[in-house]
Amino acid sequence: KQTLLPLLKEEISSFIFPCKPAVQRPERQHMVMELIRCIPLLLFLLFVCGLDHFIFTILSVIQNHSFIEYSYQASHHLSVNVMGTSLMAQLLRGTIGALNTSFESEVETSNLVCLPRPTGMTRQQYLNTCLPLGLLALLCLAQVYPFRLRRAIAAFYFPKREKARVLFLYNKLLRQRKNFLHLQRGRVARQAWQPPELGTVLLRWCRRRWPWLRRCLRQKCTLCGTPETPQHQPCPNPDCFALYCESCW
């Protein structure tokens, strides 16, 4: 309707235009909230990966520095010599001589079987672990575009409800614009009663003294703060130095 268009700059920031590819302010707020909800999952994933790497490091240190190898060698020799040529000596040689033994043993063992054998995760495994969370964050960024279709789908199935919503929005904007003008007039009036700052007075004096400096020392709109352009309108009161952009004027 002509009573609403064109929209003010403050009103544009509160609407979602479906044909704009950029993420708009209301969508950005919802998107940020969805991304904040992903932070606990990200922290949990970092904690699990860090714990896995920490345990792998400890087990690797144990495996590399706790290896012990044992080597045991033993020898045993027993020899009984019976001297003499008598019958008793010959008898003792036949009986006790059987006890002569020679024994040698060598044993080598280690604790290799008891040591842990850790296997660290590869980069591909870490990437596969973090991939679902990355897809979730990507969906949080891309969900704003499918959400724009909700109004069109609801309007297709419930045209009467859509008409009531449009009428409600129209009346709401009229009330907001009326209140906005009332509040802005009061703010500008209070600002006009306040004494100007030293920098503002110096800026005005430079603009009057050297008009060619207006391209560099540009003023701003009193309401929205946009830089000065040729379309800006000054206040018709000669004692007022207020400047307004085209939409605010």
Side-chain angles (χ1 to χ4, degrees):
K1 299 296 181 179
Q2 295 297 326
T3 52
L4 288 178
L5 298 176
L7 296 174
L8 300 178
K9 294 182 179 180
E10 290 77 8
E11 297 173 346
I12 292 177
S13 61
S14 61
F15 281 91
I16 298 176
F17 296 90
C19 297
K20 285 187 176 182
V23 180
Q24 302 168 46
R25 183 178 178 181
E27 297 173 330
R28 194 180 302 114
Q29 296 176 356
H30 182 72
M31 181 183 64
V32 169
M33 293 301 299
E34 293 293 334
L35 291 176
I36 290 176
R37 294 177 182 176
C38 296
I39 293 179
L41 296 177
L42 177 61
L43 296 178
F44 176 75
L45 184 61
L46 293 177
F47 172 76
V48 171
C49 293
L51 183 62
D52 174 78
H53 182 70
F54 177 72
I55 295 176
F56 170 73
T57 304
I58 293 179
L59 295 179
S60 298
V61 171
I62 295 175
Q63 182 186 18
N64 296 328
H65 298 279
S66 298
F67 176 74
I68 300 176
E69 185 176 7
Y70 301 91
S71 180
Y72 176 76
Q73 294 180 354
S75 61
H76 176 71
H77 299 279
L78 178 61
S79 178
V80 180
N81 296 323
V82 180
M83 306 301 293
T85 58
S86 63
L87 181 62
M88 182 61 70
Q90 294 178 2
L91 181 62
L92 289 177
R93 280 193 209 98
T95 55
I96 300 178
L99 299 176
N100 295 341
T101 59
S102 179
F103 175 79
E104 292 183 0
S105 64
E106 183 177 354
V107 179
E108 292 184 359
T109 183
S110 64
N111 62 343
L112 183 62
V113 181
C114 302
L115 291 179
R117 295 180 178 84
T119 303
M121 293 179 62
T122 61
R123 291 185 178 180
Q124 186 64 31
Q125 290 174 338
Y126 278 114
L127 181 61
N128 295 337
T129 305
C130 300
L131 186 61
L133 185 60
L135 294 177
L136 180 61
L138 184 61
L139 289 177
C140 293
L141 298 177
Q143 69 177 356
V144 295
Y145 301 104
F147 280 179
R148 294 179 182 179
L149 301 176
R150 294 180 297 179
R151 189 209 61 83
I153 296 174
F156 178 79
Y157 287 102
F158 305 98
K160 294 183 178 180
R161 185 65 175 176
E162 175 68 11
K163 184 177 180 180
R165 293 179 69 252
V166 172
L167 184 61
F168 172 79
L169 179 62
Y170 176 75
N171 295 327
K172 178 183 177 181
L173 284 178
L174 288 180
R175 291 193 301 268
Q176 288 181 352
R177 186 169 295 184
K178 182 178 179 180
N179 296 333
F180 173 77
L181 294 177
H182 178 72
L183 294 175
Q184 293 300 330
R185 284 177 183 141
R187 186 173 69 85
V188 172
R190 290 191 301 270
Q191 185 177 354
W193 282 102
Q194 296 177 358
E197 299 179 357
L198 180 60
T200 305
V201 176
L202 182 61
L203 178 63
R204 293 173 183 175
W205 182 81
C206 292
R207 288 170 59 89
R208 289 196 303 266
R209 184 70 176 80
W210 299 290
W212 54 274
L213 287 177
R214 294 185 177 181
R215 295 182 179 180
C216 302
L217 304 176
R218 294 190 301 175
Q219 288 183 334
K220 294 183 179 181
C221 177
T222 307
L223 293 180
C224 62
T226 55
E228 180 182 2
T229 60
Q231 287 74 24
H232 279 57
Q233 298 290 337
C235 181
N237 188 356
D239 297 332
C240 181
F241 298 95
L243 190 68
Y244 303 93
C245 64
E246 186 177 4
S247 61
C248 295
W249 178 256

